Short mmCIF file of all heavy atoms in Angstrom, two decimals:
data_model
loop_
_atom_site.label_atom_id
_atom_site.label_comp_id
_atom_site.label_asym_id
_atom_site.label_seq_id
_atom_site.Cartn_x
_atom_site.Cartn_y
_atom_site.Cartn_z
N ASN A 56 -37.72 13.78 188.87
CA ASN A 56 -37.85 15.37 188.68
C ASN A 56 -37.98 15.67 187.14
O ASN A 56 -38.82 16.54 186.69
CB ASN A 56 -36.66 16.04 189.32
CG ASN A 56 -36.97 17.62 189.12
OD1 ASN A 56 -38.07 18.10 189.38
ND2 ASN A 56 -35.83 18.48 189.08
N MET A 57 -37.11 14.97 186.33
CA MET A 57 -37.29 15.39 184.88
C MET A 57 -38.57 14.96 184.34
O MET A 57 -39.24 15.67 183.57
CB MET A 57 -36.12 14.55 184.16
CG MET A 57 -34.81 15.09 184.39
SD MET A 57 -33.63 13.92 183.61
CE MET A 57 -32.09 14.97 183.58
N TYR A 58 -39.07 13.82 184.84
CA TYR A 58 -40.27 13.35 184.23
C TYR A 58 -41.47 14.12 184.70
O TYR A 58 -42.42 14.63 183.95
CB TYR A 58 -40.59 12.00 184.82
CG TYR A 58 -41.89 11.23 184.21
CD1 TYR A 58 -42.05 10.87 182.81
CD2 TYR A 58 -43.14 11.22 185.05
CE1 TYR A 58 -43.20 10.31 182.31
CE2 TYR A 58 -44.24 10.73 184.51
CZ TYR A 58 -44.31 10.29 183.21
OH TYR A 58 -45.44 9.77 182.64
N GLU A 59 -41.52 14.56 185.99
CA GLU A 59 -42.61 15.31 186.57
C GLU A 59 -42.60 16.77 185.84
O GLU A 59 -43.65 17.34 185.60
CB GLU A 59 -42.45 15.62 188.07
CG GLU A 59 -42.69 14.26 188.87
CD GLU A 59 -42.45 14.40 190.29
OE1 GLU A 59 -41.89 15.37 190.81
OE2 GLU A 59 -43.00 13.54 191.04
N GLN A 60 -41.37 17.20 185.72
CA GLN A 60 -41.36 18.63 185.02
C GLN A 60 -41.94 18.49 183.57
O GLN A 60 -42.66 19.47 183.18
CB GLN A 60 -39.91 19.15 184.92
CG GLN A 60 -39.33 19.45 186.31
CD GLN A 60 -39.78 20.74 186.87
OE1 GLN A 60 -40.59 21.45 186.34
NE2 GLN A 60 -39.03 21.35 187.82
N MET A 61 -41.48 17.50 182.90
CA MET A 61 -42.10 17.44 181.52
C MET A 61 -43.50 17.06 181.46
O MET A 61 -44.18 17.74 180.61
CB MET A 61 -41.31 16.21 180.81
CG MET A 61 -39.89 16.47 180.38
SD MET A 61 -39.33 15.30 178.98
CE MET A 61 -39.27 13.81 179.92
N VAL A 62 -44.16 16.46 182.29
CA VAL A 62 -45.63 16.25 182.41
C VAL A 62 -46.30 17.54 182.74
O VAL A 62 -47.29 18.01 181.96
CB VAL A 62 -45.99 15.12 183.36
CG1 VAL A 62 -47.47 15.19 183.58
CG2 VAL A 62 -45.44 13.72 182.89
N ARG A 63 -45.67 18.31 183.61
CA ARG A 63 -46.27 19.50 184.12
C ARG A 63 -46.34 20.54 182.90
O ARG A 63 -47.31 21.10 182.73
CB ARG A 63 -45.46 20.15 185.22
CG ARG A 63 -46.03 21.41 185.79
CD ARG A 63 -45.39 21.70 187.24
NE ARG A 63 -44.08 22.17 187.10
CZ ARG A 63 -43.54 23.40 187.47
NH1 ARG A 63 -44.31 24.22 187.95
NH2 ARG A 63 -42.27 23.63 187.09
N VAL A 64 -45.19 20.77 182.14
CA VAL A 64 -45.19 21.73 181.17
C VAL A 64 -46.04 21.18 179.95
O VAL A 64 -46.66 22.23 179.34
CB VAL A 64 -43.81 22.07 180.73
CG1 VAL A 64 -42.97 22.67 181.98
CG2 VAL A 64 -42.92 20.92 180.20
N ARG A 65 -46.20 19.94 179.69
CA ARG A 65 -47.03 19.54 178.69
C ARG A 65 -48.40 19.88 178.96
O ARG A 65 -49.35 20.40 178.13
CB ARG A 65 -46.82 18.09 178.42
CG ARG A 65 -47.80 17.57 177.29
CD ARG A 65 -47.56 16.16 176.82
NE ARG A 65 -46.27 16.20 175.89
CZ ARG A 65 -45.86 15.07 175.33
NH1 ARG A 65 -46.59 13.97 175.27
NH2 ARG A 65 -44.75 15.18 174.64
N LEU A 66 -48.91 19.60 180.29
CA LEU A 66 -50.31 20.01 180.66
C LEU A 66 -50.41 21.57 180.49
O LEU A 66 -51.54 21.91 180.09
CB LEU A 66 -50.52 19.55 182.00
CG LEU A 66 -50.60 17.99 182.26
CD1 LEU A 66 -50.60 17.59 183.71
CD2 LEU A 66 -51.80 17.37 181.48
N PHE A 67 -49.46 22.23 180.92
CA PHE A 67 -49.55 23.78 180.78
C PHE A 67 -49.72 24.16 179.29
O PHE A 67 -50.51 25.00 179.01
CB PHE A 67 -48.19 24.35 181.31
CG PHE A 67 -48.23 25.89 181.08
CD1 PHE A 67 -48.69 26.72 182.10
CD2 PHE A 67 -47.60 26.39 180.04
CE1 PHE A 67 -48.70 28.07 182.04
CE2 PHE A 67 -47.69 27.90 179.82
CZ PHE A 67 -48.15 28.64 180.81
N ASP A 68 -48.94 23.54 178.39
CA ASP A 68 -48.99 23.81 177.00
C ASP A 68 -50.44 23.54 176.45
O ASP A 68 -50.96 24.34 175.70
CB ASP A 68 -47.91 22.97 176.26
CG ASP A 68 -47.80 23.36 174.89
OD1 ASP A 68 -47.48 24.47 174.56
OD2 ASP A 68 -48.04 22.48 173.90
N ARG A 69 -50.92 22.40 176.81
CA ARG A 69 -52.32 21.95 176.18
C ARG A 69 -53.40 22.89 176.86
O ARG A 69 -54.25 23.32 176.08
CB ARG A 69 -52.64 20.59 176.67
CG ARG A 69 -51.73 19.57 175.91
CD ARG A 69 -52.09 18.19 176.39
NE ARG A 69 -51.29 17.20 175.49
CZ ARG A 69 -51.47 15.81 175.72
NH1 ARG A 69 -52.10 15.38 176.69
NH2 ARG A 69 -50.62 14.96 174.99
N LYS A 70 -53.20 23.33 178.17
CA LYS A 70 -54.16 24.24 178.68
C LYS A 70 -54.07 25.54 178.02
O LYS A 70 -55.21 26.17 177.67
CB LYS A 70 -53.83 24.45 180.20
CG LYS A 70 -54.75 25.37 180.92
CD LYS A 70 -56.01 24.72 181.20
CE LYS A 70 -56.92 25.54 182.21
NZ LYS A 70 -58.17 24.87 182.51
N SER A 71 -52.98 25.96 177.54
CA SER A 71 -52.81 27.25 177.03
C SER A 71 -53.41 27.35 175.48
O SER A 71 -54.04 28.37 175.05
CB SER A 71 -51.22 27.70 176.83
OG SER A 71 -50.69 27.76 178.00
N ILE A 72 -53.42 26.11 174.85
CA ILE A 72 -54.06 26.26 173.48
C ILE A 72 -55.48 26.24 173.65
O ILE A 72 -56.23 26.88 172.95
CB ILE A 72 -53.64 24.88 172.85
CG1 ILE A 72 -52.08 24.83 172.45
CG2 ILE A 72 -54.50 24.48 171.50
CD1 ILE A 72 -51.70 23.52 171.87
N HIS A 73 -56.13 25.51 174.75
CA HIS A 73 -57.50 25.66 174.92
C HIS A 73 -57.97 27.10 175.31
O HIS A 73 -59.05 27.53 174.78
CB HIS A 73 -57.89 24.73 176.15
CG HIS A 73 -57.85 23.31 175.78
ND1 HIS A 73 -58.14 22.66 174.62
CD2 HIS A 73 -57.33 22.22 176.42
CE1 HIS A 73 -57.87 21.38 174.56
NE2 HIS A 73 -57.42 21.18 175.77
N LEU A 74 -57.06 27.69 176.15
CA LEU A 74 -57.40 29.11 176.57
C LEU A 74 -57.45 30.01 175.30
O LEU A 74 -58.31 30.92 175.24
CB LEU A 74 -56.40 29.67 177.48
CG LEU A 74 -56.40 29.00 179.00
CD1 LEU A 74 -55.27 29.41 179.62
CD2 LEU A 74 -57.58 29.31 179.73
N GLN A 75 -56.47 29.87 174.43
CA GLN A 75 -56.52 30.69 173.20
C GLN A 75 -57.66 30.36 172.37
O GLN A 75 -58.42 31.44 171.86
CB GLN A 75 -55.14 30.42 172.19
CG GLN A 75 -54.91 31.39 171.23
CD GLN A 75 -55.76 31.09 170.02
OE1 GLN A 75 -56.11 30.07 169.65
NE2 GLN A 75 -56.03 32.27 169.24
N ARG A 76 -58.10 29.18 172.13
CA ARG A 76 -59.28 28.81 171.40
C ARG A 76 -60.57 29.45 171.98
O ARG A 76 -61.53 29.64 171.38
CB ARG A 76 -59.43 27.33 171.32
CG ARG A 76 -58.27 26.63 170.42
CD ARG A 76 -57.94 27.24 169.17
NE ARG A 76 -57.13 26.54 168.34
CZ ARG A 76 -56.16 26.97 167.50
NH1 ARG A 76 -56.29 28.28 167.27
NH2 ARG A 76 -55.48 26.28 166.81
N GLN A 77 -60.56 29.57 173.33
CA GLN A 77 -61.68 30.14 174.12
C GLN A 77 -61.80 31.60 174.02
O GLN A 77 -62.69 32.20 174.64
CB GLN A 77 -61.61 29.59 175.53
CG GLN A 77 -61.97 28.08 175.64
CD GLN A 77 -61.67 27.66 177.09
OE1 GLN A 77 -61.27 28.27 177.88
NE2 GLN A 77 -61.52 26.26 177.15
N GLY A 78 -60.62 32.30 173.46
CA GLY A 78 -60.47 33.68 173.47
C GLY A 78 -60.06 34.31 174.77
O GLY A 78 -60.19 35.52 175.03
N ARG A 79 -59.60 33.52 175.59
CA ARG A 79 -59.14 34.09 176.94
C ARG A 79 -57.61 34.40 176.82
O ARG A 79 -57.00 34.81 177.79
CB ARG A 79 -59.31 32.91 177.94
CG ARG A 79 -60.91 32.65 178.22
CD ARG A 79 -61.11 31.40 178.88
NE ARG A 79 -60.76 31.39 180.37
CZ ARG A 79 -60.79 30.30 181.14
NH1 ARG A 79 -61.20 29.20 180.61
NH2 ARG A 79 -60.38 30.41 182.42
N MET A 80 -56.89 34.11 175.75
CA MET A 80 -55.49 34.40 175.66
C MET A 80 -55.27 34.78 174.06
O MET A 80 -56.04 34.34 173.24
CB MET A 80 -54.66 33.14 176.04
CG MET A 80 -53.36 33.46 176.40
SD MET A 80 -52.61 32.02 177.49
CE MET A 80 -52.49 30.93 176.21
N GLY A 81 -54.22 35.47 173.98
CA GLY A 81 -53.97 35.85 172.46
C GLY A 81 -53.26 34.68 171.80
O GLY A 81 -53.20 33.54 172.19
N THR A 82 -52.75 34.99 170.62
CA THR A 82 -51.97 34.00 169.77
C THR A 82 -50.82 33.27 170.67
O THR A 82 -50.14 33.98 171.29
CB THR A 82 -51.42 34.60 168.54
OG1 THR A 82 -52.41 35.21 167.77
CG2 THR A 82 -50.62 33.51 167.66
N TYR A 83 -50.84 31.98 170.54
CA TYR A 83 -49.95 31.27 171.44
C TYR A 83 -48.98 30.37 170.57
O TYR A 83 -49.41 29.73 169.62
CB TYR A 83 -50.85 30.44 172.36
CG TYR A 83 -49.99 29.52 173.32
CD1 TYR A 83 -49.30 29.91 174.40
CD2 TYR A 83 -49.79 28.07 173.06
CE1 TYR A 83 -48.63 29.09 175.19
CE2 TYR A 83 -49.16 27.26 173.84
CZ TYR A 83 -48.47 27.80 174.91
OH TYR A 83 -47.70 26.88 175.69
N ALA A 84 -47.68 30.20 171.03
CA ALA A 84 -46.77 29.27 170.37
C ALA A 84 -46.62 27.91 171.18
O ALA A 84 -45.95 28.05 172.32
CB ALA A 84 -45.52 30.05 170.26
N PRO A 85 -47.12 26.87 170.72
CA PRO A 85 -47.01 25.64 171.42
C PRO A 85 -45.66 24.91 171.22
O PRO A 85 -44.88 25.30 170.42
CB PRO A 85 -48.09 24.85 170.89
CG PRO A 85 -48.27 25.17 169.42
CD PRO A 85 -47.96 26.71 169.47
N PHE A 86 -45.45 24.08 172.23
CA PHE A 86 -44.14 23.45 172.33
C PHE A 86 -44.19 21.96 172.32
O PHE A 86 -43.10 21.21 172.44
CB PHE A 86 -43.14 23.98 173.13
CG PHE A 86 -43.75 23.88 174.59
CD1 PHE A 86 -43.62 22.78 175.39
CD2 PHE A 86 -44.25 24.98 175.32
CE1 PHE A 86 -44.17 22.68 176.64
CE2 PHE A 86 -44.82 24.85 176.66
CZ PHE A 86 -44.70 23.78 177.21
#
Side-chain angles (χ1 to χ4, degrees):
N56 184 35
M57 288 174 167
Y58 182 76
E59 291 181 341
Q60 293 279 16
M61 285 200 291
V62 170
R63 183 169 69 120
V64 295
R65 176 167 290 188
L66 291 172
F67 176 91
D68 189 61
R69 291 178 175 178
K70 181 75 170 184
S71 297
I72 294 174
H73 292 320
L74 292 171
Q75 191 280 329
R76 297 309 190 205
Q77 293 166 5
R79 297 161 71 183
M80 207 162 70
T82 301
Y83 175 77
F86 58 77

